[in-house]
Amino acid sequence: MSGGNIANNFGSFDVVFEKGQGSTVYDINGKKYIDFLAGIAVNCLGHNHPSLVKAISDQATKQIHISNYYNSDIGLKYSEKLLKASGFDKVYFGNSGAEANEAAIKLARKYGYLEGEKSGIGGKNKKTIVTLEKSFHGRTLNTLKATGQEVFHPECFAPYPDGFKYIKAGDYEALKTAFDESTCALMMECVQGEGGVNLIDKEWAMAAASAARKVGAIVIADEVQTGMGRTGSLFASEWLGIEPEVITTAKGIAGGVPMGACLYRGKVKDVFVAGDHQSTFGGNPLACSCANAVLDVMLEKGFFENVVHSADRICSTIRSWNLPCVKEIRGKGLMIGIDIDGSSAEIQKKALDQGLLMSTAGKNTLRFLPPLVITDQEIDEGLAILKKVLSC
Ligand SMILES: *Cc1c(COP(=O)(O)O)cnc(C)c1O
């Protein structure tokens, strides 16, 4: 079966999936695969998780959508729980990571506009957002421009919106000049996902946040990928120490049902007023019911500890093989990058043939983003396939 007429901008493998259970999925021929990808960090509870299935079916009998003109019971319940767990004051719900980031960009711009006038630092020109090289922030025009990688700014989609500036993670010199009166925000991932699973040094991140705040700018943590337990805590900014005013998150938030969120607090909590930003579908009862179920499972005792345990099991097992073609294993929690000697795309393809789903991040980096509930047995089965296809 081919890809039919679905706009296929990812490039496609010749496989058609039908169902899954836990961290195992099956194609239409009944062939089994271990899932080390989780739909790109989305299926955080794996496949067919009873809590998520129940949340979907129960909510479907009540209400799937009601306009944002009104509140829904589950929307109120979930947002309260999320804000309490994260320590934020307010939340905007959209339907994807890029939308969450668009909301954060608008929030930062309006904050800069108001703050520049009020404080006299920057006036109405306090609009520039500093992001990092090798970052990834989404596929809308604004979030593409926020993305600090030239390959994401092809001429064919120009003109791009202005107002972004890039610095290199770890570059202390850059911190001296990157921020000025015109800066309204620093926006950064806590671990760069699409850019290569790059860890950000904590000391540097804190210095960057402090340089931003010195000119009255805010800090936005793009936790679209790192958020919702992926790195072993609810949000990665908890351990990075940057204390963001704004967090964006999406991928795993509702376990596979599309949803994004922009959480904000403190001095930006009253920046958005009615009419400033909105979404028709954003935070509808079905999505909130799923996100509520996901958060309940994550807040159960031992959930994050298990993420750390599984990450250790994967990394220490691969290290113990001492394979000459494995150059480096890095990551945080279940966001793991493995540099290899050889083509990552080739290994990815071979692994698929043998029954293991994974991703790549660049020509020589394999990327694992398994469900956060993956079992030891599924890890071992997946790693056995990996070892076979690495064959070095
Ligand atoms: C995936 C991702 C996005 C974009 O999310 P979409 O849901 O695809 O719009 C933005 N930022 C980061 C860090 C991501 O990993």
Side-chain angles (χ1 to χ4, degrees):
M1 211 185 281
S2 77
N5 291 320
I6 302 172
N8 199 340
N9 297 333
F10 267 109
S12 180
F13 292 102
D14 197 15
V15 57
V16 180
F17 287 104
E18 185 183 12
K19 61 185 179 185
Q21 180 64 47
S23 302
T24 306
V25 291
Y26 300 88
D27 71 15
I28 49 169
N29 301 314
K31 183 176 163 186
K32 172 183 164 180
Y33 302 77
I34 299 294
D35 188 0
F36 273 16
L37 179 61
I40 320 185
V42 169
N43 303 98
C44 56
L45 301 187
H47 304 269
N48 200 20
H49 190 284
S51 302
L52 191 51
V53 171
K54 186 170 187 315
I56 293 171
S57 46
D58 285 357
Q59 190 59 46
T61 66
K62 294 163 81 185
Q63 54 176 357
I64 290 173
H65 180 83
I66 187 89
S67 163
N68 278 316
Y69 285 140
Y70 318 107
N71 286 307
S72 69
D73 57 345
I74 187 69
L76 290 174
K77 182 175 164 185
Y78 172 61
S79 53
E80 202 172 296
K81 197 182 288 179
L82 176 66
L83 292 171
K84 182 161 175 261
S86 59
F88 277 74
D89 294 322
K90 287 193 175 158
V91 59
Y92 161 81
F93 291 125
N95 311 283
S96 67
E99 281 176 75
N101 283 341
E102 284 284 344
I105 290 165
K106 283 178 73 176
L107 183 66
R109 291 264 169 73
K110 187 176 177 194
Y111 160 77
Y113 181 86
L114 299 173
E115 181 69 13
E117 285 280 274
K118 199 172 86 187
S119 67
I121 307 175
K124 282 185 176 157
N125 297 319
K126 198 169 183 57
K127 294 295 184 101
T128 305
I129 298 174
V130 175
T131 70
L132 304 190
E133 289 175 17
K134 297 190 184 170
S135 57
F136 180 77
H137 296 296
R139 297 275 187 172
T140 61
L141 286 170
N142 243 323
T143 55
L144 277 176
K145 193 64 188 298
T147 294
Q149 302 187 56
E150 267 313 303
V151 296
F152 284 99
H153 311 152
E155 191 54 34
C156 59
F157 299 128
Y160 294 90
D162 283 333
F164 296 96
K165 189 157 136 183
Y166 319 104
I167 56 172
K168 197 170 158 196
D171 183 347
Y172 280 93
E173 273 307 302
L175 298 183
K176 293 180 188 159
T177 52
F179 302 94
D180 59 29
E181 292 197 345
S182 73
T183 315
C184 67
L186 163 68
M187 175 155 117
M188 59 186 283
E189 294 157 273
C190 298
V191 178
Q192 294 179 327
E194 308 304 306
V197 194
N198 309 312
L199 295 166
I200 308 284
D201 177 66
K202 181 175 175 174
E203 296 291 311
W204 183 83
M206 287 168 67
S210 137
R213 292 198 174 101
K214 215 172 265 171
V215 297
I218 59 165
V219 176
I220 302 168
D222 177 348
E223 297 226 39
V224 169
Q225 191 161 155
T226 55
M228 307 319 294
R230 181 55 51 188
T231 70
S233 52
L234 188 59
F235 287 107
S237 47
E238 291 167 27
W239 52 259
L240 197 62
I242 54 177
E243 294 177 20
E245 284 82 1
V246 180
I247 280 184
T248 57
T249 191
K251 290 191 164 80
I253 189 170
V257 169
M259 189 180 201
C262 173
L263 295 84
Y264 49 102
R265 63 182 166 194
K267 65 202 241 184
V268 294
K269 84 175 185 333
D270 297 319
V271 166
F272 273 158
V273 297
D276 274 346
H277 197 53
Q278 200 40 270
S279 160
T280 299
F281 290 120
N284 78 31
L286 183 70
C288 284
S289 160
C290 296
N292 184 60
V294 165
L295 188 57
D296 278 346
V297 172
M298 279 186 188
L299 295 178
E300 276 168 21
K301 201 164 174 302
F303 185 90
F304 297 127
E305 285 81 351
N306 194 56
V307 171
V308 174
H309 158 83
S310 298
D312 286 348
R313 189 177 186 91
I314 292 172
C315 295
S316 63
T317 303
I318 298 172
R319 281 198 187 98
S320 75
W321 298 339
N322 272 318
L323 294 176
C325 64
V326 174
K327 296 294 166 203
E328 190 186 44
I329 305 168
R330 60 177 177 273
K332 182 82 181 169
L334 285 171
M335 204 170 163
I336 299 168
I338 301 164
D339 286 348
I340 56 165
D341 215 356
S343 157
S344 53
E346 218 165 273
I347 296 296
Q348 181 189 25
K349 175 79 183 60
K350 278 189 191 162
L352 178 71
D353 291 342
Q354 297 290 323
L356 175 64
L357 306 186
M358 65 165 84
S359 173
T360 62
K363 283 192 175 63
N364 308 107
T365 307
L366 304 175
R367 185 158 63 123
F368 297 164
L369 298 159
L372 304 181
V373 295
I374 193 165
T375 62
D376 286 356
Q377 195 195 323
E378 287 164 323
I379 289 174
D380 295 349
E381 271 185 61
L383 290 178
I385 296 169
L386 177 71
K387 193 174 182 190
K388 193 154 90 185
V389 299
L390 281 173
S391 65
C392 61

